[in-house]
Amino acid sequence: MTSIGGAEMVDWNLAVATATRLVRPGPDVSRDEARAVVAELRRHAKASEEHVRGFTRMIPEGHEPQDTPVLVVDRAGWIRANVAGFREVLRPLLDKMQERRGSAPGGAVLGAVGGKVTGVEVGMLLSFLASRVLGQYETFAPPSRELPAGTGGGRLLLVAPNIVHVERELEVDPHDFRLWVCLHEETHRTQFTAVPWLRDHMEGEIQSFLGETEVDPMTVLERLREAAQSLAGGRPEGEAGEDGGRSLVEIVQTPAQREILGRLTAVMSLLEGHADFVMDGVGPEVVPSVAEIREKFQQRRARGAGRLDLALRKLLGLDAKLRQYRDGERFVRAVVDEVGMEGFNRVWTSPNTLPTKAEIAKPADWVARVHRRADS
């Protein structure tokens, strides 16, 4: 990144070091067991390609989508991959903020201190998430020797210690659970490799969102401070205001950002719901204990890991992620029930056929807009 006065807005190396130091250790496994888990996850990831393609029919027979690597990583590997992704996506915004701060009195000194403070904060956030993510399709990942990516920038991560931890916690068949997780993540890989315009569309929306961010760092910090006070009950009694019940992510947004976020939320609901729908659709044929896994995993999602986990999920807006799974899956199921899988796949035609946030809640409206108008 371009730096002014030798300081970056975020000390990314410190973020990695902080997250790696604070992340909880993974489950106790022997070296041989760890090797066996990694090998099985790779086999399941490969097998999932055929299962997902056959069920979704997103990739025409005889066509091969752009290949992207499957990486089985530990928690530290997930942290390094995500820091690289954050750095890439946030580069335009941070460069703009860097330029604004560099021209201010004492900007270089503030940058040296602020970059390290922000690096620690990012590291603390990633240490929390690194023990919870089972798998992830990284859409905007820059390639490196340690963490390669496809030519389009994508790669699939499977976090082996987290998968082992959850399968033990739920007391489910480990081989079935590992395949079940791979089916979900492979669906995400199929979504982006089979729909060439989807990555650029998502990146454009994200950059538009970031472009609306307040450039003045002091303004951002002030809004964060007010948000933290409201979430911590710091407002004077009787001044709950309109921010009550909203996450930190929501509170610091501008009106323009909320509009963009509505579109992004609809797309994310579609992608997550579609992955859950595919996972359940393929599951009964290839995962014998899928019903038990699904029931126990849903219960785990709903209750979180404890009071601290629930509080952090609310603060960071991660409870919205859970709604995306539920609302998106209902949308996909309703559309497939009405117009079939081929009819549903019209959703991937162009950005104009993606559902709106309102249509996610009312699938019949999407069918009326995309099908009945196109067929009339």
Side-chain angles (χ1 to χ4, degrees):
M1 289 180 65
T2 302
S3 61
I4 297 177
E8 295 183 357
M9 291 292 296
V10 181
D11 188 330
W12 296 108
N13 292 332
L14 183 57
V16 172
T18 300
T20 304
R21 185 177 68 253
L22 294 179
V23 71
R24 292 182 297 181
D28 186 20
V29 296
S30 67
R31 187 182 297 267
D32 288 342
E33 184 180 3
R35 288 196 183 112
V37 170
V38 170
E40 184 173 21
L41 286 172
R42 286 178 176 152
R43 289 196 304 272
H44 285 331
K46 183 64 178 175
S48 295
E49 291 183 34
E50 183 177 350
H51 296 314
V52 170
R53 293 178 190 182
F55 183 80
T56 64
R57 289 173 259 166
M58 291 179 65
I59 301 172
E61 193 171 345
H63 289 69
E64 282 298 319
Q66 181 185 42
D67 190 32
T68 54
V70 176
L71 308 178
V72 182
V73 298
D74 58 11
R75 291 171 177 175
W78 182 88
I79 288 167
R80 289 192 294 273
N82 275 266
V83 165
F86 285 161
R87 189 171 186 168
E88 188 71 16
V89 171
L90 295 175
R91 186 187 301 269
L93 170 64
L94 294 183
D95 281 351
K96 188 164 62 171
M97 294 179 70
Q98 184 94 348
E99 183 179 356
R100 170 71 68 88
R101 189 183 59 191
S103 63
V109 176
L110 289 173
V113 176
K116 293 192 178 299
V117 171
T118 309
V120 170
E121 291 171 341
V122 170
M124 293 174 66
L125 169 62
L126 288 172
S127 72
F128 168 73
L129 296 175
S131 61
R132 287 157 173 79
V133 176
L134 301 182
Q136 173 185 354
Y137 183 76
E138 281 202 299
T139 316
F140 311 109
S144 67
R145 184 171 60 182
E146 181 185 17
L147 294 165
T151 55
R155 62 186 170 212
L156 180 61
L157 304 180
L158 296 170
V159 191
N162 295 351
I163 293 172
V164 172
H165 172 77
V166 174
E167 71 192 25
R168 290 179 178 180
E169 178 187 326
L170 298 182
E171 297 181 338
V172 294
D173 181 279
H175 309 294
D176 284 3
F177 184 75
R178 293 165 196 173
L179 177 55
W180 189 71
V181 171
C182 287
L183 289 171
H184 185 279
E185 302 309 330
E186 176 58 35
T187 302
H188 286 317
R189 184 163 71 150
T190 297
Q191 289 163 347
F192 282 94
T193 55
V195 184
W197 54 264
L198 185 57
R199 180 187 184 277
D200 289 342
H201 173 71
M202 292 284 289
E203 184 175 21
E205 291 283 58
I206 291 169
Q207 291 305 326
S208 295
F209 180 88
L210 295 175
E212 292 291 336
T213 300
E214 297 281 359
V215 178
D216 180 7
M218 293 307 296
T219 301
V220 175
L221 290 174
E222 178 63 21
R223 295 177 71 189
L224 286 170
R225 184 187 65 80
E226 293 175 357
Q229 285 182 348
S230 71
L231 288 164
R235 289 181 183 272
E237 189 174 352
E239 293 186 17
E242 64 175 11
D243 294 335
R246 289 197 287 150
S247 71
L248 179 61
V249 176
E250 294 170 307
I251 292 170
V252 298
Q253 292 162 9
T254 66
Q257 284 177 314
R258 292 192 186 104
E259 182 179 339
I260 298 168
L261 187 67
R263 297 195 298 268
L264 280 170
T265 298
V267 176
M268 293 307 299
S269 296
L270 169 68
L271 299 180
E272 296 294 356
H274 183 236
D276 268 12
F277 177 78
V278 172
M279 190 166 53
D280 287 347
V282 174
E285 295 184 9
V286 297
V287 182
S289 59
V290 64
E292 177 192 3
I293 291 173
R294 181 68 156 153
E295 180 181 1
K296 289 183 175 181
F297 194 76
Q298 288 288 66
Q299 291 173 355
R300 182 181 186 273
R301 269 183 183 171
R303 69 175 181 264
R307 294 182 65 184
L308 176 60
D309 186 59
L310 290 170
L312 286 170
R313 282 192 344 198
K314 179 61 184 175
L315 177 67
L316 300 172
L318 299 180
D319 52 343
K321 176 84 165 177
L322 303 183
R323 291 195 299 272
Q324 288 172 7
Y325 286 105
R326 183 180 64 247
D327 297 344
E329 196 274 340
R330 280 201 296 253
F331 170 84
V332 176
R333 187 172 300 279
V335 172
V336 172
D337 285 347
E338 185 166 349
V339 297
M341 186 65 75
E342 295 296 339
F344 166 77
N345 281 341
R346 287 195 188 181
V347 79
W348 312 116
T349 303
S350 74
N352 292 330
T353 57
L354 290 172
T356 65
K357 190 175 180 181
E359 288 170 341
I360 288 288
K362 295 183 177 180
D365 290 353
W366 180 86
V367 172
R369 178 172 67 87
V370 173
H371 278 265
R372 290 170 191 162
R373 290 180 186 175
D375 295 340
S376 60

